[in-house]
Amino acid sequence: MSPPQTDEDAHLKAYNAAFSELNLRFRWGMDTLHWLDALDCNTDRARIAKYLEVCQPHLLKAYDIDFLSQLICSKQNEHYRNFGEPASVA
């Protein structure tokens, strides 16, 4: 039996689902999420924007950072609503 999912796990899973849906080739681990939080990136859009600036700057040659971070954030929120739901007890 696997341990219960935390809110942080649900956020991470939602970020990676959004990246996958948008055909972005990167995935985040818990270490990336903690690194971004340590930089005071405490909103989804701020995390995404900082990550893009530091780790994926080539994407910003083709996409506006506000557009791309909002698009990823929107997809992440859609997935989070599914992953963040508590499991039903049968």
Side-chain angles (χ1 to χ4, degrees):
M1 184 174 186
S2 61
Q5 176 174 277
T6 66
D7 188 53
E8 197 172 47
D9 292 329
H11 273 285
L12 187 59
K13 192 173 178 182
Y15 279 121
N16 287 327
F19 301 148
S20 180
E21 182 178 344
L22 295 169
N23 293 315
L24 297 169
R25 293 183 174 194
F26 49 85
R27 299 297 177 267
W28 288 2
M30 201 58 74
D31 55 337
T32 303
L33 201 56
H34 291 161
W35 168 68
L36 291 167
D37 286 343
L39 297 175
D40 288 330
C41 297
N42 53 9
T43 67
D44 292 328
R45 283 189 70 185
R47 284 182 191 112
I48 294 164
K50 179 57 77 176
Y51 180 81
L52 293 172
E53 288 174 342
V54 174
C55 300
Q56 302 294 328
H58 64 282
L59 291 175
L60 303 181
K61 292 178 182 177
Y63 300 100
D64 176 74
I65 194 166
D66 291 330
F67 167 78
L68 189 54
S69 59
Q70 179 56 46
L71 177 62
I72 295 169
C73 188
S74 176
K75 293 295 181 184
Q76 188 267 352
N77 286 328
E78 288 175 24
H79 288 288
Y80 179 75
R81 281 193 292 276
N82 294 327
F83 299 140
E85 303 269 333
S88 60
V89 177

